Amino acid sequence: MITKFKSLTFGFVLAIAGATQASADVVLRYAEAGPNRGTRAAAVQFYADEVERLSGGDIKVDIHWGGALLKWSGVMSGVSAGSADLGSVLSSYEPQELKALGIGDIPLEYADPWVGMRAMYELMTTESQLQESLAGQSLVYLSNFSTTGVQFECTEGNQIRTVDDIKGKRVRATGTYTNVLAELGADTVSMTFGEVYQALDTGLVDCLASYFYTMKAYKTYEVVETVTRVDWGQLLGFAIVINEFAWSDLNEEQQTIMLKAGSNMIDHFARLTIEDAEKVAKTLANGGFGKVVPVTPMAPEERKKILEATLPFRDSWIEDANRRGMDGQRIWDTYIGLLEQYQSEFEANGYPWQN
């Protein structure tokens, strides 16, 4: 009888120990509004896998794809409120609330994804004023995506080769790019990427300010006739953020893991994106997607005109940051210095994966 009692007691202790071990595992819900295909989707999955690997399986990221948990327009507020623990956010959807990330959406000459993402990662993980701005939305920055440089894909008869060609075109764009194109005479249209295929097919829009990876992911090559390669800036206000309270529940080691996974993801995503962009450009031009879509570089003097049209929006970001109590000019100068630093590092040493 005593032996049986000891056996039951030992079994109970093991059960309690097992329950304690199980409760030590952390499962974080990730709201991803994009589809589970393409290079960025591969990067999101890499991030989840990297978190699990670095934590030895103690932290798991449960990805909800395609807006199943939160749509693009609701990811920021949903993560902020705790409906999801972390997610992919675009500052263009919440430009006031995500002003800190918006610095990465000012179109500049730096179109290299690795350079841009590295600069943003260092800026957002070291600049306290930007961190405090995100904390006002109950968010903590973890990593960054890049859309890569903006290209123009257009339907038949609507190709854009020069700045003058922009005038009168119905163009879908986002963020500051929308404002710049409007200043250059475009009739800009706002819609999600999930709607652009039908908009092109029906003539609702003439052109997209888009990216090589979205051309493949959303199959817009089926309904356009030309692509002009502009390599115009990149959207870097495109980040992985975590709910501040979920973040505070993690210990210091776990927080370090979440950020390290974010840093590792940047190199992984940059490599995928750069290689994929070149592959997509070649496949468009050689008809590998089922039809030939010519890819024509924009002349340098025309690209310069577009870059110059962006300068007032740089000044506007600095002024707005100042109104919010931040040192806008100092933050901007730091950001440009980081872009120059990583551009120089790339030119001197190539990409990390090439070494």
Side-chain angles (χ1 to χ4, degrees), residues 49-57 253 256-258 260-261 264:
D49 294 342
E50 195 71 351
V51 167
E52 186 168 353
R53 182 186 72 83
L54 292 172
S55 68
E253 181 183 0
T256 299
I257 285 169
M258 299 294 287
K260 176 62 175 173
N264 292 350

Side-chain angles (χ1 to χ4, degrees), residues 3-295:
T3 302
K4 183 177 180 181
F5 177 76
K6 287 182 177 178
S7 178
L8 289 171
T9 302
F10 183 63
F12 179 72
V13 171
L14 285 177
I16 293 296
T20 302
Q21 179 64 38
S23 65
D25 293 340
V26 177
V27 179
L28 300 170
R29 294 168 301 160
Y30 189 118
E32 171 52 58
N36 186 13
R37 61 177 182 269
T39 53
R40 200 180 65 79
V44 172
Q45 187 62 59
F46 177 90
Y47 180 77
D49 294 342
E50 195 71 351
V51 167
E52 186 168 353
R53 182 186 72 83
L54 292 172
S55 68
D58 289 340
I59 309 175
K60 294 180 174 62
V61 178
D62 179 21
I63 307 169
H64 296 255
W65 297 99
L69 184 58
L70 295 166
K71 305 295 184 186
W72 280 120
S73 58
V75 174
M76 190 218 75
S77 58
V79 174
S80 179
S83 300
D85 299 303
L86 64 163
S88 306
V89 296
L90 280 157
S91 67
S92 56
Y93 280 92
E94 306 285 353
Q96 298 307 313
E97 293 83 354
L98 296 176
K99 194 67 180 180
L101 291 175
I103 191 172
D105 286 348
I106 310 300
L108 300 171
E109 62 183 284
Y110 301 94
D112 185 278
W114 183 80
V115 170
M117 287 189 287
R118 275 283 152 225
M120 278 294 288
Y121 182 87
E122 185 166 339
L123 182 72
M124 295 302 301
T125 55
T126 59
E127 177 49 64
S128 61
Q129 290 185 347
L130 296 181
Q131 292 169 338
E132 289 166 7
S133 178
L134 280 182
Q137 304 300 323
S138 300
L139 301 173
V140 175
Y141 171 96
L142 293 176
S143 191
N144 223 87
F145 300 111
S146 167
T147 57
T148 71
V150 168
Q151 324 299 346
F152 294 135
E153 50 177 331
C154 300
T155 56
E156 186 174 5
N158 291 305
Q159 63 268 22
I160 293 174
R161 295 284 185 266
T162 68
V163 168
D164 286 341
D165 290 337
I166 295 170
K167 295 175 183 177
K169 295 287 193 308
R170 297 186 298 273
V171 183
R172 186 272 181 191
T174 58
T176 306
Y177 294 83
T178 303
N179 300 327
V180 175
L181 290 169
E183 288 292 320
L184 292 174
D187 180 8
T188 57
V189 181
S190 177
M191 63 181 65
T192 67
F193 256 106
E195 301 170 294
V196 296
Y197 186 102
Q198 184 176 4
L200 287 164
D201 195 32
T202 60
L204 180 62
V205 299
D206 301 318
C207 300
L208 301 181
S210 66
Y211 323 95
F212 285 120
Y213 82 93
T214 58
M215 296 177 201
K216 184 174 74 171
Y218 292 89
K219 299 184 178 181
T220 50
Y221 52 78
E222 295 179 346
V223 287
V224 301
E225 296 298 322
T226 63
V227 171
T228 300
R229 184 159 194 167
V230 191
D231 289 331
W232 177 25
Q234 51 190 310
L235 283 180
L236 290 162
F238 194 179
I240 298 176
V241 295
I242 186 170
N243 175 276
E244 186 178 27
F245 301 103
W247 176 255
S248 64
D249 284 340
L250 301 175
N251 60 41
E252 185 175 347
E253 181 183 0
Q254 290 170 327
Q255 291 177 352
T256 299
I257 285 169
M258 299 294 287
L259 285 168
K260 176 62 175 173
S263 178
N264 292 350
M265 188 210 75
I266 284 174
D267 287 348
H268 180 77
F269 180 50
R271 180 175 185 173
L272 289 179
T273 301
I274 291 164
E275 292 175 352
D276 191 59
E278 294 308 315
K279 183 177 179 180
V280 170
K282 290 178 182 177
T283 306
L284 288 167
N286 66 26
F289 287 130
K291 72 176 197 181
V292 173
V293 180
V295 178

